[in-house]
């Protein structure tokens, strides 16, 4: 039945599965890498800002500037701009795996900004309490900053995931495949409107699911 | 208990020596603390009172090195805080608990986990932590709320958790930063009683910073009054508050010990052709309260009239303030005041 449906749309079940697979692969791998880098950058910003416990102007300025610079570059341009770097890292410029590099470089500073806001929302008094107990910098991050910001961090990741989903569609331009590529090459270029409509609906549903899951976990940590 | 057995018992547990703190705000020097010296003896419940910006919080934060003095020295248990700081803040701060106006509990952790945090930071064993936390929750009366989250607690309960957390590492000193200023009067009373137990039962020295004089009169035995980064008056609560010298102390004290003639009576007195002399007496219970007015009435050729009287209990000592209108010959009134001085009665003349 599913086969017939996709055939009607001008594609096939195996192609749909491949596209979905590529999108999810790009999304989750770059989300994971981007979140790790984003957390590190955000922690660096919060610790070294002018009210931070490790106040350090040069470090703050450097990290802050790097984030701003990378965030100024539109993803389509970033993708081709860092191709030499991509090749150096994964050995190829095109394909799904190659797309992971620009996707991660794109999402990490974006998440870093969102995470920074989440951390800044943590009450200063909590940090002071931590210091009064003699907590080390690592302990302050691990036992105070991260748990207190958890709900807000989850919402930040949710927002980031949805932004990243948009970027994966553009990654089709460097042969990364995925749902966005399907809509463009098969839907748009072959003027297959029903296929395009289908992918749009799939994306809308997917975004709704991401947001609902994010909200669910965020509020579970907040409203206890 | 340990604290009292130590040989250095007579040594003040906290000592500030000529402490100054100068901030640079846009090229302008701001003196947050100006040559402050203060000693707090072991086991005391000491209050520092002042309006916001007086420097009292800054001073207290130097005890656990959250602030550092620009000049001067701070000693805790005989050791220079600056030297301790270099050796490691952990050992210093383990010995000093702190509670806050806004409680500063972790919203993401249960009451149990909040109290356990200082012990987790010290890498203590799980069952040792469990035992200690249960003990602490029992002490503050929150054993039944161990699994609750701070959001589910009232302000008073949150501060109890704060106290339990501050005591987790068995500190010798407890710093209280406006710890009752966010609480209603009933809850404040309960928290002060609990802090009293912390002092009597555990022998912890308490340093309490506040702008609320009620807290000082109910809890503390010693007090320092601060204004513009300086200590303007210090001593036992009874001495300082029964006979306030500085204007700011008078302002604080007048809110708990009324010592002014009500406005309506002042208006009436102003209209009288012979207002007489108004003398304000401040009497402690043991002074010659019962017959002083009679002595004046019978011993001198003057007419007296009570314009105002108040009786307040402070640290189990009854304080009364009486304002007497004395009419008579100026020479005779001088003899009355000489008589008061001879009997060491605290008095001053009230001008209206």
């Amino acid at each position: 039945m599913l086969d017939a449906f996709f055939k009607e749309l001008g594609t096939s079940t195996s192609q749909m599965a491949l596209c979905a697979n590529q999108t999810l692969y790009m999304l989750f791998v770059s989300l994971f890498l981007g979140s790790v880098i984003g957390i590190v950058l955000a922690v660096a910003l919060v610790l070294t800002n002018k009210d931070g416990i490790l106040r350090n102007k040069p470090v703050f300025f450097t990290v802050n500037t790097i984030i701003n610079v990378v965030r100024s570059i539109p993803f389509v341009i970033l993708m081709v701009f860092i191709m030499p770097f991509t090749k150096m890292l994964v050995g190829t410029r095109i394909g799904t795996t190659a797309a992971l590099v620009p996707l991660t470089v794109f999402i990490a500073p974006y998440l870093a900004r969102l995470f920074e806001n989440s951390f800044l929302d943590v009450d200063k008094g909590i940090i002071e309490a931590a210091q009064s107990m003699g907590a080390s910098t690592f302990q302050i991050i691990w036992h105070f900053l991260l748990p207190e910001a958890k709900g807000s961090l989850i919402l930040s990741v949710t927002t980031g995931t949805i932004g990243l989903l948009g970027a994966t569609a553009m990654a089709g331009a460097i042969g990364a495949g995925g749902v966005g590529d399907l809509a463009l090459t098969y839907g748009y270029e072959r003027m297959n409107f029903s296929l395009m409509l289908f992918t749009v609906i799939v994306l809308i549903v997917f975004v709704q699911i991401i947001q609902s899951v994010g909200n669910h976990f965020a509020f579970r940590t907040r409203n206890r | 208990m340990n604290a009292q057995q130590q040989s250095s018992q007579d040594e003040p547990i906290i000592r500030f020596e000529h402490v100054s703190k100068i901030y640079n705000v846009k090229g302008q020097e701001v003196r947050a603390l100006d040559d402050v010296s203060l000693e707090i003896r072991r086991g005391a419940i000491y209050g520092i009172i002042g309006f916001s910006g007086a420097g009292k919080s800054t001073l207290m934060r130097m005890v656990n090195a959250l602030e550092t003095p620009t000049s001067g020295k701070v000693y805790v248990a005989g050791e220079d805080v600056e030297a301790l700081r270099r050796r490691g803040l952990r050992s210093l701060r383990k010995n000093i608990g702190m509670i806050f106006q806004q409680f500063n509990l972790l919203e993401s952790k249960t009451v149990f986990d909040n109290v356990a945090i200082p012990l987790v930071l010290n890498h203590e064993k799980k069952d040792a932590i469990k035992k200690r936390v249960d003990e602490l929750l029992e002490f503050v009366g929150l054993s039944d709320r161990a699994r609750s989250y701070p959001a589910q607690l009232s302000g008073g309960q949150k501060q109890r958790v704060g106290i339990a957390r501050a005591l987790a590492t068995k500190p010798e000193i407890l710093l209280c930063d406006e710890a009752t200023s966010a609480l209603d009067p009933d809850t404040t009373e309960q928290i002060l009683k609990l802090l009293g137990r912390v002092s009597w039962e555990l022998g912890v020295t308490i340093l309490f910073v506040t702008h609320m004089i009620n807290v000082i009169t109910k809890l503390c035995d010693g007090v320092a009054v601060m204004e513009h980064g300086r200590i303007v008056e210090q001593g036992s609560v009874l001495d300082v508050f029964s006979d306030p010298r500085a204007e700011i102390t008078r302002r604080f004290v007048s809110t708990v010990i009324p010592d002014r003639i009500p406005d309506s009576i002042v208006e009436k007195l102003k209209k009288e052709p012979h207002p007489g002399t108004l003398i304000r007496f401040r009497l402690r219970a043991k002074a010659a309260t019962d017959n002083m007015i009679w002595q004046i009435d019978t011993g001198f050729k003057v007419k007296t009239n009570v314009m105002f009287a108040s009786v307040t209990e402070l640290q189990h000592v009854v304080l009364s303030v009486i304002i007497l209108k004395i009419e008579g010959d100026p020479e005779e009134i001088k003899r009355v005041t000489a008589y008061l001085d001879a009997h060491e009665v605290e008095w001053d003349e009230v001008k209206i």
Side-chain angles (χ1 to χ4, degrees):
Chain A
M1 188 210 142
L2 215 55
D3 287 342
F5 176 69
F6 286 128
K7 201 159 189 195
E8 191 65 31
L9 283 174
T11 171
S12 66
T13 310
S14 61
Q15 191 178 27
M16 284 307 292
L18 178 68
C19 288
N21 201 2
Q22 286 167 332
T23 295
L24 291 175
Y25 170 72
M26 285 191 283
L27 192 64
F28 287 111
V29 175
S30 56
L31 184 68
F32 173 75
L33 296 173
S35 296
V36 172
I37 299 169
I39 286 272
V40 172
L41 293 176
V43 167
L45 284 177
V46 173
L47 293 184
T48 59
N49 75 17
K50 66 176 169 50
D51 299 321
I53 51 172
L54 297 177
R55 186 178 167 174
N56 185 324
K57 235 176 179 173
V59 172
F60 179 83
F61 179 82
T62 310
V63 176
N64 199 37
T65 308
I66 291 173
I67 290 172
N68 283 345
V69 166
V70 178
R71 287 204 59 209
S72 325
I73 310 171
F75 181 65
V76 193
I77 300 166
L78 181 78
M79 218 160 38
V80 289
F81 182 69
I82 64 164
M83 269 184 176
F85 177 65
T86 307
K87 169 119 201 221
M88 198 180 80
L89 226 58
V90 293
T92 172
R93 295 157 193 267
I94 52 165
T96 316
T97 303
L100 291 177
V101 179
L103 283 171
T104 305
V105 172
F106 166 74
I107 203 64
Y110 181 57
L111 287 173
R113 273 284 177 252
L114 293 172
F115 292 161
E116 183 194 15
N117 282 326
S118 302
F119 287 136
L120 290 176
D121 280 343
V122 174
D123 194 338
K124 288 255 177 312
I126 302 267
I127 307 304
E128 193 176 37
Q131 287 179 301
S132 78
M133 292 172 210
S136 65
T137 304
F138 175 77
Q139 287 177 326
I140 289 176
I141 297 166
W142 191 254
H143 291 285
F144 297 84
L145 213 47
L146 284 173
E148 283 302 279
K150 200 160 112 196
S152 175
L153 289 174
I154 291 173
L155 288 182
S156 298
V157 171
T158 309
T159 309
T161 310
I162 292 165
L164 190 58
L165 187 64
T168 61
M170 280 182 262
I174 56 165
V179 179
D181 185 41
L182 182 78
L184 283 172
T185 48
Y186 290 81
Y188 174 70
E189 282 165 21
R190 291 184 186 180
M191 286 186 278
N192 180 347
F193 180 75
S194 43
L195 178 64
M196 206 150 57
L197 182 67
F198 175 73
T199 52
V200 168
I201 291 169
V202 167
L203 288 173
I204 290 173
V205 171
F206 192 55
V207 167
Q208 292 299 325
I209 292 171
I210 295 171
Q211 191 65 55
S212 307
V213 170
N215 285 349
H216 173 76
F217 284 108
F219 287 105
R220 214 178 70 168
T221 59
R222 283 176 162 184
N223 276 357
R224 290 198 271 205
Chain B
M1 306 305 147
N2 276 337
Q4 271 136 24
Q5 286 159 8
Q6 279 177 13
S7 56
S8 54
Q9 199 187 331
D10 294 335
E11 169 133 28
I13 191 160
I14 303 170
R15 196 163 91 235
F16 299 98
E17 263 182 18
H18 304 289
V19 169
S20 292
K21 177 82 182 179
I22 298 162
Y23 291 107
N24 250 316
V25 184
K26 287 171 190 155
Q28 282 231 315
E29 264 195 10
V30 179
R31 275 182 184 268
L33 289 175
D34 193 1
D35 194 25
V36 172
S37 294
L38 183 67
E39 290 187 353
I40 294 161
R41 65 169 178 80
R42 210 174 267 279
I45 308 183
Y46 204 91
I48 301 179
I49 190 167
F51 293 114
S52 60
K56 54 192 193 305
S57 279
T58 310
L59 186 68
M60 188 178 73
R61 281 172 161 68
M62 285 174 180
V63 176
N64 62 354
L66 287 176
E67 294 266 8
T68 48
T70 311
S71 64
K73 291 260 181 210
V74 183
Y75 296 92
V76 171
E79 290 199 80
D80 184 356
V81 170
E82 189 51 41
L84 286 171
R85 188 189 167 83
R86 265 179 262 118
R87 222 180 309 143
L89 283 170
R90 168 67 56 79
S91 57
L92 169 72
R93 287 176 175 166
K94 224 184 111 174
N95 196 25
I96 305 172
M98 189 168 182
I99 58 173
F100 306 85
Q101 180 171 6
Q102 295 304 330
F103 323 120
N104 294 347
L105 302 178
L106 280 91
E107 297 289 327
S108 58
K109 290 188 196 289
T110 61
V111 165
F112 184 95
D113 290 335
N114 264 287
V115 176
I117 276 196
L119 304 168
V120 173
L121 297 182
N122 281 337
H123 307 291
E124 283 181 36
K125 290 217 172 60
K126 229 179 166 182
D127 38 333
I129 293 177
K130 170 100 175 69
K131 189 167 164 278
R132 179 73 183 136
V133 173
D134 287 343
E135 203 176 286
L136 287 158
L137 289 177
E138 173 89 46
F139 181 79
V140 300
L142 281 178
S143 298
D144 53 331
R145 303 309 298 268
R147 296 282 147 229
S148 303
Y149 285 89
Q152 299 161 340
L153 303 180
S154 68
Q157 289 173 323
K158 284 184 196 175
Q159 197 57 290
R160 284 167 189 275
V161 178
I163 292 169
R165 182 176 71 175
L167 296 176
T169 51
K170 301 188 174 168
E172 283 183 283
I173 300 171
L174 179 64
L175 304 177
C176 311
D177 186 12
E178 297 276 9
T180 57
S181 300
L183 304 173
D184 63 56
D186 276 356
T187 316
T188 297
E189 194 100 351
Q190 290 169 20
I191 294 298
L192 294 181
K193 275 194 185 132
L194 177 59
L195 290 173
R197 284 178 53 213
V198 170
S199 173
W200 321 136
E201 293 177 26
L202 309 176
V204 173
T205 306
I206 296 179
L207 181 56
F208 202 117
V209 157
T210 184
H211 67 277
M212 298 170 93
I213 190 170
N214 285 323
V215 171
I216 308 274
T217 57
K218 280 178 189 144
L219 180 71
C220 302
D221 36 51
V223 65
V225 184
M226 285 192 75
E227 192 181 26
H228 306 311
R230 287 168 170 273
I231 291 180
V232 292
E233 212 160 341
Q234 68 180 78
S236 81
V237 169
L238 191 59
D239 287 342
V240 171
F241 288 173
S242 64
D243 184 23
R245 301 285 156 108
E247 177 54 33
I248 182 154
T249 318
R250 285 173 190 272
R251 275 166 67 195
F252 275 121
V253 169
S254 66
T255 61
V256 282
I257 307 174
D259 64 349
R260 276 170 211 289
I261 307 174
D263 287 345
S264 57
I265 299 178
V266 170
E267 287 306 310
K268 253 189 217 163
L269 282 171
K270 276 181 178 166
K271 283 175 196 148
E272 281 180 20
H274 304 292
T277 306
L278 293 168
I279 302 285
R280 172 166 40 210
F281 304 92
R282 296 174 187 275
L283 304 166
R284 290 193 197 176
K286 293 271 160 56
T289 44
D290 16 50
N291 60 3
M292 191 195 67
I293 295 173
W294 182 79
Q295 292 282 3
I296 295 172
D297 275 337
T298 54
F300 303 91
K301 282 185 204 126
V302 290
K303 228 166 92 183
T304 62
N305 190 4
V306 174
M307 291 289 103
F308 173 86
S310 75
V311 177
T312 315
E313 197 190 42
L314 187 66
Q315 313 261 299
H316 310 294
V317 173
V318 176
L319 291 174
S320 37
V321 177
I322 301 168
I323 298 179
L324 216 53
K325 189 172 86 166
I326 306 179
E327 285 175 74
D329 189 59
E331 284 304 311
E332 195 66 7
I333 291 175
K334 261 190 198 143
R335 282 188 54 217
V336 173
T337 54
Y339 164 82
L340 294 174
D341 286 338
H343 286 78
E344 289 182 345
V345 177
E346 283 170 21
W347 67 274
D348 64 328
E349 194 179 336
V350 182
K351 301 279 183 207
I352 52 167

